[in-house]
Amino acid sequence: MDDPVLLTGAGGRVGQAILGGLADDYEWRLLDREPPTGEHPGEYVVADVTDYDAIRDAMEGVSAVIHLAGDPRPEAPWSSVLENNIDGAKTVFEAAVDAGVEKVAFASSNHAVGAYETDERTPEMYRDHHELRLDGTELPRPTNLYGVSKAAGETLGRYYHDQHGLDVVCVRIGNLTEGHPPIDYERGQAMWLSYRDCAHLFDRCLQADYDYEIVYGISDNDRKYYSIERAKEALGYEPRDNSAHFDGEERVDEPEA
Ligand SMILES: NC(=O)C1=CN([C@@H]2O[C@H](COP(=O)(O)OP(=O)(O)OC[C@H]3O[C@@H](n4cnc5c(N)ncnc54)[C@H](O)[C@@H]3O)[C@@H](O)[C@H]2O)C=CC1
Ligand SMILES: O=C1O[C@H](COP(=O)(O)O)[C@@H](O)[C@H](O)[C@H]1O
């Protein structure tokens, strides 16, 4: 991919995980409403994703977009998710179509489907003997307005694919942490996404050919209730990490290369 890739929300945690693995692999155009705090690969545009004109300008000559910018707080109020997450996603998809961008990878969330974690199922569903797997074909079941905003983003992506021909992949990201999985948090261990698997997954989102996809973004954890089969099939995702290979902060069992 020779043309620039636009990364929105570049200054955040997911953006840093992606750049940590892929800084040298693409010509990056980074975008965030906050100015950069240190060195960064590529151009850096300071803009809000709700500003159509600024986003359309930032898309000029871009082949693909990874759209991360938004309010990531599960407890975020409606006013914030409406503006930053829903209006922001609509602006990004629309500008992508208008600029002739080929594909957009959208950062969705586990919170779009959090209500599948019923009282009857938890905590057993977080354990490796449990057989439930959500695979991306199920309807959204958010537990909070943040999750509603992510389901809305997925639906906006569907619309811009079906009506405007944009290729879209929605990645329902689990729980991204650096270095090791969450400690004493079974749910977080079941949906852990390591930094290197995160970078690899979004690399696949840039490289693979697809139409419209919803996939789960987690490492290959023994404990899991999200299937990673669709990410493997549609994108060629090959995760290397597994929360079961850690004892607290220590890696105790290196997965085979
Ligand atoms: N970190 C995680 O485990 C997960 C993250 N996600 C999603 O991934 C995306 C990135 O999350 P994180 O990196 O964790 O969040 P973060 O808060 O670390 O980064 C978000 C970045 O977006 C920027 N931003 C926010 N609103 C903006 C706007 N209106 N215009 C321009 N820039 C804006 C912020 O300045 C920040 O740099 C979010 O959409 C979040 O919902 C989804 C599931 C899990
Ligand atoms: O969507 C997100 O999910 C992760 C994991 O959720 P949590 O409720 O287990 O913490 C969260 O850490 C992240 O901030 C959020 O954007």
Side-chain angles (χ1 to χ4, degrees), residues 109-127:
S109 169
N110 62 88
H111 285 277
V113 288
Y116 287 98
E117 298 166 45
T118 59
D119 289 346
E120 293 73 32
R121 287 175 174 156
T122 55
E124 289 304 316
M125 69 184 286
Y126 304 141
R127 297 178 179 160

Side-chain angles (χ1 to χ4, degrees), residues 38-83:
E39 284 190 20
H40 50 84
E43 262 178 269
Y44 198 107
V45 178
V46 177
D48 195 295
V49 286
T50 60
D51 178 346
Y52 174 84
D53 291 340
I55 300 307
R56 174 64 186 79
D57 283 352
M59 297 250 184
E60 198 57 45
V62 159
S63 55
V65 176
I66 298 176
H67 176 46
L68 309 175
D71 190 333
R73 297 171 298 160
E75 71 284 6
W78 179 242
S79 56
S80 179
V81 298
L82 181 61
E83 181 176 345

Side-chain angles (χ1 to χ4, degrees), residues 3 7 15 17 25 30 43 48 70 93 110 117 151 166 170 172 203 206 208 223 251:
D3 293 328
L7 178 67
D25 294 0
L30 311 177
E43 262 178 269
D48 195 295
F93 285 128
N110 62 88
E117 298 166 45
L166 186 67
C170 304
R172 289 180 177 163
D203 187 32
L206 294 174
R223 299 170 181 269
R251 183 184 287 277

Side-chain angles (χ1 to χ4, degrees), residues 198-254:
C198 178
H200 164 64
L201 176 55
F202 279 96
D203 187 32
R204 295 314 310 156
C205 291
L206 294 174
Q207 294 294 334
D209 291 324
Y210 45 82
D211 294 314
Y212 177 83
E213 295 287 342
I214 295 175
V215 301
Y216 284 95
I218 62 169
S219 289
D220 191 11
N221 308 314
D222 286 357
R223 299 170 181 269
K224 61 167 97 63
Y225 54 95
Y226 298 147
S227 170
I228 54 175
E229 291 311 306
R230 193 64 200 147
K232 289 181 172 179
E233 285 166 19
L235 305 177
Y237 178 49
E238 293 179 3
R240 295 164 70 193
D241 287 314
N242 179 342
S243 59
H245 294 139
F246 287 79
D247 181 6
E249 297 184 13
E250 294 298 312
R251 183 184 287 277
V252 292
D253 182 3
E254 176 72 27

